[in-house]
Amino acid sequence: MRARRPNIVCFITDDTGFDMLGYSGGPVLTPHIDSIAAGGVTAGRFHTAAPACCPSRYSYLTGLYPGHCTARRFRGLHPTDKPYNVDFNVDVLGDATSYGHVFQQAGYATGYTGKWHTGEPRGQFHGHRFDLDDDPSEPAVAAKLREDYDAMRQAVREAGFDYAEAIAWGNTDNRPLKALQYHNIEWHTDAALKFLDRYAGKQPFFLTMATTTIHGPHHVESLQTDGRVCEYGYLDEAPQVQAPRASIFERLEAAGLEVNHRSAGAMWQDDAFGAVMARVAELGLAEDTIFIFSTDHGVGTTGGKFTLYQGGLHIPFCMRWDGQIPAGSTCEALLQNVDLLPTLAEAAGIECPANLDGMSRWAQLTGAAGDDREDLYFEWGYTRSVRTDRWKYIAWRHTPEQLEKMRRGEVSMAYNMHNRPKGEFAMHLYPHYFDVDQLFDLQADPDEQHNLAADPACAEVLTDMRRRLRAHLDRFEHPFGLDQCDPFVVSPEYAELARASRADQSLYEPEWYRVRAY
């Protein structure tokens, strides 16, 4: 370990699959992300704890599973004598300790720019209401937007960050004004560069840059705006801090690649990361800096967003620290985003909070051969899962209220894993989606197409996987009816509701994921 503590730059994207990165074979151009992978280690079996933005980001920040959230919103929604629903309902407010707090207390300058999405709805701040067609340049509207935004920045600072600028509170397409529903990555890049100029070289720093891409809205449409849109309205002028937007189309076409949502978004965010990495190098700090790239979860139409299938849980991760991590190395240990905080704490030689769900994987990422971790735990909605090196088990237990509504015919479709009685992103990709107990052999069946839970030859495996899952569940104060299965879920009536959900294709192809050329 070097005597000098490393700086850390953590790039976190949204909705990014392996097919959206050059180093993992995607039809895109991402040279700067690829340089992190080539110059360091790629983790082949890195997972998120939950397959959606909000709970995943909570786990990155805290080293905890979402079910251990203590914020008032989550606790108030879920009495301790009932199962909890993991959804967009966890945040880092209250008494949670984030990696911002940990590194801040150890003498680091901590900075955050970009998508937050681990807090209550923006209406919590001042109760401002907007019409979708409001004009953000109108003084009264602009004043309300700015007041909300200043409160957002303060909330991020209170979560352990000295510097909180260019904050996107949630998804861009959920901003309250239609005029503001466009990405502006340069806004985040400009804030990241200003953080480096303020703190780099004066004290060790930990910068998180979390882009709003590759989630919708469509990147090409955003790239065609004038670059002044931001969370609180309009900037005075568009930041000129990375490769020009028009060059994205030119470079993709020169490489013979289709210009679409994925390829344009991948290059746009890669240009941003390249600008930040270049500034670190200009400051003479590249060899003293750990660079990390990852994302929050897998994506909808090519994976399993909002499910506990590997398509939603298995995500890209690479880390580079010149001279400390062997270049071009790979790590096949079981890793999870709850491990980020303890891993970086060990790398920096600082004390880590006790009672985290994650563990340091620094030894594995730097080449250690041994690994005593046997399994990983996942949660989403009212589904829970555990995987080992080879096997994956998913348990789905509907609530009594959901079962009653389906039994009485009060809903026309079965509830999906997101707790909505309708279709969902990747439902059509998994033939056993509605099975309440699912067992998969990931070596023979990596796409989770063959449920072996009822196979007599796998009875011992199923018993062992249920035991493993129960051991994880026992760590939470909320019950989960692992050993209870209502007869309705194996009835013809339930099967008919499930067929109706599969027939609802309204979310199979969200607009921004359609391969659409320009």
Side-chain angles (χ1 to χ4, degrees):
M1 181 68 67
R2 297 180 181 181
R4 186 173 182 177
R5 288 178 172 174
N7 307 303
I8 300 169
V9 176
C10 187
F11 300 124
I12 301 291
T13 61
D14 193 8
D15 273 40
T16 303
F18 290 93
D19 63 340
M20 303 175 193
L21 302 169
Y23 82 83
S24 51
V28 296
L29 295 177
T30 55
H32 301 104
I33 297 172
D34 299 348
S35 74
I36 298 176
V41 60
T42 56
R45 296 196 293 180
F46 189 85
H47 300 72
T48 179
C53 301
C54 181
S56 174
R57 292 165 192 273
Y58 174 86
S59 291
Y60 272 118
L61 285 162
T62 64
L64 297 172
Y65 294 123
H68 280 142
C69 179
T70 59
R72 69 175 184 271
R73 179 166 58 133
F74 187 78
R75 302 280 288 195
L77 288 171
H78 305 112
T80 56
D81 62 343
K82 293 185 177 181
Y84 56 83
N85 164 38
V86 175
D87 203 320
F88 293 87
N89 54 14
V90 297
D91 56 60
V92 192
L93 303 177
D95 59 356
T97 298
S98 76
Y99 61 59
H101 293 118
V102 173
F103 280 81
Q104 189 181 60
Q105 292 165 11
Y108 273 69
T110 55
Y112 198 101
T113 181
K115 183 177 178 180
W116 182 245
H117 213 169
T118 50
E120 296 185 15
R122 63 187 296 153
Q124 69 175 305
F125 298 118
H126 302 288
H128 292 320
R129 296 292 181 264
F130 301 91
D131 290 330
L132 190 61
D133 293 326
D134 279 347
D135 181 356
S137 63
E138 199 278 321
V141 175
K144 291 192 296 183
L145 288 167
R146 186 72 206 202
E147 192 173 19
D148 278 355
Y149 179 70
D150 288 342
M152 296 173 195
R153 292 171 56 238
Q154 180 60 27
V156 176
R157 285 196 292 265
E158 291 174 0
F161 296 94
D162 301 304
Y163 178 97
E165 299 292 345
I167 300 299
W169 195 243
N171 291 326
T172 307
D173 49 347
N174 287 336
R175 287 177 180 164
L177 276 64
K178 185 176 181 179
L180 303 183
Q181 293 176 355
Y182 296 97
H183 299 286
N184 186 352
I185 299 182
E186 290 88 350
W187 182 46
H188 307 309
T189 304
D190 184 54
L193 297 178
K194 287 175 179 175
F195 170 83
L196 293 174
D197 291 342
R198 181 180 302 181
Y199 294 104
K202 302 178 180 66
Q203 64 188 105
F205 62 82
F206 189 147
L207 170 65
T208 299
M209 182 178 181
T211 62
T212 55
T213 50
I214 288 179
H215 194 285
H218 208 287
H219 298 132
V220 175
E221 294 172 355
S222 292
L223 283 164
Q224 293 171 336
T225 65
D226 67 7
R228 294 186 302 119
V229 165
C230 68
E231 189 77 26
Y232 58 81
Y234 295 128
L235 304 171
D236 291 336
E237 58 183 22
Q240 305 297 321
V241 290
Q242 60 188 73
R245 293 184 174 189
S247 73
I248 293 175
F249 307 129
E250 296 166 358
R251 285 176 284 160
L252 288 172
E253 291 171 353
L257 297 174
E258 185 179 73
V259 177
N260 56 46
H261 175 75
R262 295 172 190 242
S263 64
M267 175 168 277
W268 194 8
Q269 65 190 20
D270 188 79
D271 284 346
F273 302 155
V276 173
M277 295 171 72
R279 181 63 56 85
V280 172
E282 290 168 6
L283 294 168
L285 298 173
E287 292 187 357
D288 293 318
T289 301
I290 296 174
F291 293 101
I292 298 164
F293 170 81
S294 192
T295 188
D296 52 5
H297 54 77
V299 295
T301 56
T302 61
K305 181 178 180 179
F306 301 157
T307 78
L308 294 187
Y309 295 113
Q310 289 297 99
L313 299 174
H314 179 214
I315 57 177
F317 180 92
C318 53
M319 175 186 290
R320 176 173 182 166
W321 186 10
D322 293 350
Q324 301 295 308
I325 298 175
S329 58
T330 58
C331 173
E332 292 302 322
L334 291 174
L335 278 74
Q336 200 167 28
N337 61 348
V338 291
D339 299 329
L340 185 69
L341 169 49
T343 297
L344 294 178
E346 180 175 351
I350 65 177
E351 186 175 353
C352 189
N355 301 318
L356 296 181
D357 292 317
M359 62 175 65
S360 175
R361 311 300 279 159
W362 182 245
Q364 285 70 37
L365 287 166
T366 53
D371 183 15
D372 59 359
R373 174 181 263 171
E374 296 184 352
D375 54 45
L376 295 175
Y377 167 77
F378 313 98
E379 51 188 17
W380 171 248
Y382 293 109
T383 56
R384 308 289 185 263
S385 178
V386 65
R387 76 152 290 179
T388 62
D389 178 64
R390 176 177 177 179
W391 297 96
K392 174 83 163 291
Y393 171 60
I394 300 173
W396 187 359
R397 300 294 182 264
H398 294 289
T399 67
E401 293 78 12
Q402 291 174 343
L403 289 166
E404 192 64 18
K405 287 184 177 182
M406 290 188 288
R407 186 179 288 114
R408 291 183 175 180
E410 295 179 19
V411 294
S412 60
M413 302 181 195
Y415 283 88
N416 58 38
M417 292 184 182
H418 200 183
N419 295 317
R420 277 72 168 169
K422 61 188 301 184
E424 191 54 277
F425 285 122
M427 185 182 291
H428 61 300
L429 299 177
Y430 302 98
H432 298 281
Y433 181 98
F434 286 99
D435 294 357
V436 293
D437 286 291
Q438 303 176 30
L439 178 68
F440 302 102
D441 181 346
L442 295 179
Q443 291 181 3
D445 180 25
D447 295 327
E448 298 162 293
Q449 300 294 294
H450 306 287
N451 183 7
L452 303 176
D455 187 339
C458 297
E460 291 186 7
V461 174
L462 179 62
T463 297
D464 177 64
M465 296 300 285
R466 288 170 66 90
R467 175 189 62 80
R468 291 177 180 276
L469 180 54
R470 188 175 292 107
H472 284 285
L473 295 173
D474 286 345
R475 299 180 58 202
F476 298 88
E477 58 184 1
H478 297 72
F480 184 83
L482 183 59
D483 300 316
Q484 302 166 9
C485 184
D486 192 288
F488 178 76
V489 298
V490 293
S491 69
E493 292 79 10
Y494 180 73
E496 183 58 35
L497 291 172
R499 281 193 289 271
S501 289
R502 287 189 183 279
D504 176 20
Q505 300 188 21
S506 60
L507 283 179
Y508 279 9
E509 289 188 332
E511 188 276 334
W512 55 83
Y513 283 134
R514 294 174 188 158
V515 178
R516 188 173 71 186
Y518 279 74

